[in-house]
């Protein structure tokens, strides 16, 4: 199921980016943000309408609806990363002082986590 794989990886990647973005204490909530980031597509509704059907924090809502608030920059970063918009990813890394090794580690940890999840090991 490609969609399920995308959702799970997206959620874990958001969680793994918590530390590089200085939000380690919010890693669980960032996992939820990543999980709900495709709710609009799943429900075939716009994001604002889709999020009314589930209870999420204002921080998650603001990020997913308008890429604003505390989580907005992290969500925007993930969207650019998914779209392979490397120029924008690089720009954000410079502006947000994100270390390339931290980004690499976050993505690699996501792939390792997903492999363990799917292999049951």
């Amino acid at each position: 199921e490609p969609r399920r794989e995308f959702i799970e990886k997206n959620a874990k990647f958001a969680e793994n980016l918590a530390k590089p973005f200085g939000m380690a204490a919010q890693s669980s909530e960032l996992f939820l943000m990543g999980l709900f980031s495709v709710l609009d597509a799943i429900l075939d509704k716009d994001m604002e309408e889709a999020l009314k059907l589930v209870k999420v924090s204002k921080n998650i809502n603001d990020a997913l609806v308008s890429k604003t608030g505390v989580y907005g920059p992290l969500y925007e970063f993930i969207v650019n990363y998914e779209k392979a918009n490397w120029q924008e990813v690089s720009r954000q890394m410079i502006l947000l002082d994100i270390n390339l090794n931290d980004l690499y580690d976050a993505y690699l940890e996501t792939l390792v986590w997903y492999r363990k999840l799917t292999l049951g090991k």
Side-chain angles (χ1 to χ4, degrees):
E1 298 175 23
R3 180 180 275 181
R4 180 178 174 186
E5 177 182 348
F6 176 78
I7 294 167
E8 290 168 344
K9 284 181 180 175
N10 202 40
K12 190 63 175 179
F13 190 44
E15 178 184 49
N16 288 345
L17 286 174
K19 188 175 178 185
F21 273 76
M23 298 183 209
Q26 291 85 22
S27 63
S28 297
E29 189 166 54
L30 290 169
F31 183 89
L32 288 176
M33 181 189 73
L35 198 61
F36 287 127
S37 67
V38 292
L39 190 63
D40 55 340
I42 293 169
L43 298 177
D44 195 26
K45 298 180 179 294
D46 68 46
M47 184 59 80
E48 191 168 6
E49 192 178 341
L51 288 176
K52 288 179 182 176
L53 301 173
V54 295
K55 185 155 179 78
V56 297
S57 72
K58 180 175 179 357
N59 289 336
I60 291 174
N61 189 80
D62 290 349
L64 297 181
V65 171
S66 59
K67 294 184 182 129
T68 60
V70 179
Y71 300 155
L74 190 144
Y75 178 61
E76 185 177 8
F77 183 86
I78 291 171
V79 169
N80 285 315
Y81 198 89
E82 289 168 355
K83 292 180 179 179
N85 185 350
W86 304 125
Q87 184 175 350
E88 187 58 25
V89 166
S90 296
R91 186 188 76 78
Q92 285 181 278
M93 287 178 68
I94 291 167
L95 286 175
L96 301 169
D97 196 27
I98 304 296
N99 181 290
L100 181 59
N101 289 332
D102 292 340
L103 173 61
Y104 177 76
D105 289 347
Y107 191 69
L108 187 60
E109 288 171 20
T110 299
L111 297 178
V112 169
W113 172 85
Y114 187 74
R115 181 174 169 85
K116 289 178 182 176
L117 181 71
T118 56
L119 294 177
K121 295 181 180 180

